[in-house]
Amino acid sequence: MKQIEISRATMGRIPIYLKYLKDTDLCTENISATALAKGLGLGEVQVRKDLGAVSGAGRPKTGYNVSELINVLENFLGRNENSSVVIVGAGKLGRALLDYSGFQEYGLDIMAAFDAAVSEPEKSNLGKPIYSMDALDSFCKENNIRIGVIAVPAHSAQEICDRFIRNGIRAIWCFAPCVLSVPPEIPVQYENMALSLAYLNKKI
């Protein structure tokens, strides 16, 4: 599937459009951007821009075919080709991420977590596996893991990053407050929760 560059804000609205379309009356064959915007309380220009980035423009006068648009949005989110993900760091944050069901909306399958403090396999609250670090390499290769999540302290993050890359992981989501050294073809998404909270503090 061709990757389309869109903003994070647009990406966040795609599941909202998808849910609305799936809840639409089965007799509704077509829907306009105007009707979609009104139903969701969004701006019409924003809806046209979002859908245009993913599926192109709607048809004049008829808008979008509902079933076709649902299929396009599901394909864009990757629901038909889930990306497998692992987490290293099974503390409170890592376990919360492991059990969060919202990732499925974006075609992401969080398969397992790994932690240096784990010696025997454990289960999360929802039954997801948590393994020792010794199992990481083989698990990544056997399950074609595409994305790695780093939820360890900053001093251990680069080591985990390097290990991810050696095992064929193609993208990294990093919660450690650091900057990783990675090859140019490996995208990294950083999440600094302290910075986000500090930003909010400046807004009040």
Side-chain angles (χ1 to χ4, degrees), residues 40-56:
L40 291 170
L42 298 172
E44 183 178 341
V45 173
Q46 185 66 72
V47 172
R48 290 185 187 279
K49 183 178 178 181
D50 289 343
L51 297 183
V54 178
S55 65

Side-chain angles (χ1 to χ4, degrees), residues 184-197:
E185 69 274 14
I186 303 294
V188 179
Q189 177 66 48
Y190 294 98
E191 299 292 346
N192 188 323
M193 291 182 288
L195 180 60
S196 296
L197 188 58

Side-chain angles (χ1 to χ4, degrees), residues 27-201:
C27 296
T28 303
E29 183 177 356
N30 298 298
I31 191 168
S32 67
T34 302
L36 193 53
K38 184 177 180 180
L40 291 170
L42 298 172
E44 183 178 341
V45 173
Q46 185 66 72
V47 172
R48 290 185 187 279
K49 183 178 178 181
D50 289 343
L51 297 183
V54 178
S55 65
R59 301 182 184 92
K61 297 184 179 180
T62 61
Y64 298 88
N65 179 275
V66 173
S67 61
E68 290 178 2
L69 186 55
I70 287 174
N71 186 57
V72 167
L73 297 182
E74 285 187 332
N75 285 335
F76 178 77
L77 291 174
R79 290 191 174 185
N80 298 324
E81 47 178 275
N82 281 5
S83 290
S84 298
V85 184
V86 295
I87 300 170
V88 170
K92 291 182 179 179
L93 173 60
R95 288 172 185 258
L97 294 170
L98 182 62
D99 280 344
Y100 178 58
S101 62
F103 295 122
Q104 296 173 1
E105 292 186 353
Y106 295 89
L108 300 167
D109 181 13
I110 312 294
M111 297 190 68
F114 299 81
D115 197 286
V118 173
S119 56
E120 296 293 331
E122 301 178 5
K123 295 287 186 180
S124 70
N125 290 337
L126 294 184
K128 291 285 190 76
I130 302 172
Y131 300 117
S132 73
M133 290 299 296
D134 293 340
L136 177 63
D137 297 355
S138 60
F139 188 94
C140 288
K141 293 173 182 175
E142 291 169 5
N143 293 280
N144 189 30
I145 301 300
R146 299 178 64 186
I147 301 174
V149 180
I150 296 176
V152 299
H155 63 82
S156 301
Q158 186 62 54
E159 178 186 352
I160 300 304
C161 173
D162 294 342
R163 194 163 171 182
F164 277 163
I165 293 170
R166 286 198 303 270
N167 284 290
I169 282 177
R170 286 167 271 176
I172 295 171
W173 193 19
C174 182
F175 283 84
C178 65
V179 176
L180 300 171
S181 175
V182 299
E185 69 274 14
I186 303 294
V188 179
Q189 177 66 48
Y190 294 98
E191 299 292 346
N192 188 323
M193 291 182 288
L195 180 60
S196 296
L197 188 58
Y199 175 78
L200 286 176
N201 186 47

